[in-house]
Amino acid sequence: QDVCASDLSSGINAEYGMRHKSNANPHKSTLLQFDICEFYPSITEELMDKAMAFAKEHTHLPDDHLQIIKSCRKSVLFNGGKVWCKKGKNFDITMGALDGAEAADLAGLYLLHQVQNLLESEYNGCHCGLYRDDGLIYINKGNGPMLTRLTKDLHHLFKENGLKI
């Protein structure tokens, strides 16, 4: 049975996707938009390992499939009979690669889970959605100091994962 990150996202995304409460007051709600800077090339092997461990907690994911996903991250270029490999760690989420978007989605689901946990524990009435490198947080009854604190917490959370927003 074949598995890919998009299969995982369909099951997990329903749990962590953006939610909206019907009793929310639209006159006091706020939307906070963020963008993950250079998302694809900034996904490290460590972040991908965390994302795969997270996915394994929520769905059946055999170890050989995890190894295949990691093996696909190795970039090799053939030119003029020579083989070129990336310097340092040969790990890359490549935009335009056949599975680059799926790998980024898997990392995104892990990040979405972390953001939603932060919102649920520290910011009552906030919900988050993420599409690739674009995030949107719905804030019910937010104020200036709360938005400042939330922004700092988000920067810290993404920095812990080797990313910038």
Side-chain angles (χ1 to χ4, degrees):
Q1 179 181 359
D2 293 337
V3 66
C4 67
S6 60
D7 296 335
L8 302 175
S9 67
S10 62
I12 299 171
N13 204 21
E15 183 177 351
Y16 295 106
M18 186 177 214
R19 296 174 231 141
H20 183 276
K21 293 184 178 183
S22 60
N23 62 350
N25 183 345
H27 300 292
K28 294 190 178 188
S29 60
T30 304
L31 293 174
L32 178 67
Q33 178 184 353
F34 62 91
D35 180 70
I36 304 171
C37 300
E38 300 177 3
F39 186 42
Y40 282 67
S42 298
I43 299 171
T44 62
E45 187 171 4
E46 293 77 19
L47 177 56
M48 195 66 175
D49 287 341
K50 290 177 187 177
M52 289 190 296
F54 167 74
K56 200 169 181 176
E57 291 174 12
H58 294 277
T59 190
H60 174 69
L61 191 57
D63 289 336
D64 59 334
H65 290 190
L66 294 174
Q67 190 58 40
I68 291 169
I69 293 170
K70 284 190 75 166
S71 294
C72 291
R73 308 284 51 92
K74 295 178 181 176
S75 297
V76 180
L77 176 67
F78 297 93
N79 184 18
K82 293 184 179 182
V83 179
W84 299 77
C85 293
K86 188 174 181 178
K87 291 182 181 180
K89 280 192 171 186
N90 190 5
F91 183 89
D92 198 16
I93 308 289
T94 309
M95 289 180 76
L98 295 176
D99 68 335
E102 286 85 358
D105 284 346
L106 182 58
L109 286 171
Y110 171 70
L111 295 167
L112 180 61
H113 169 73
Q114 287 191 309
V115 171
Q116 192 61 42
N117 282 345
L118 170 70
L119 295 175
E120 288 174 0
S121 66
E122 301 290 328
Y123 302 94
N124 190 22
C126 296
H127 303 286
C128 184
L130 186 68
Y131 178 74
R132 304 272 156 74
D133 64 342
D134 297 313
L136 189 65
I137 298 177
Y138 168 80
I139 303 160
N140 187 24
K141 298 181 183 175
N143 58 34
M146 182 263 227
L147 290 173
T148 301
R149 188 168 48 94
L150 173 58
T151 302
K152 287 180 182 178
D153 287 346
L154 287 171
H155 280 278
H156 179 71
L157 185 147
F158 281 91
K159 186 176 181 180
E160 285 179 338
N161 286 290
L163 303 168
K164 291 191 295 186
I165 57 171

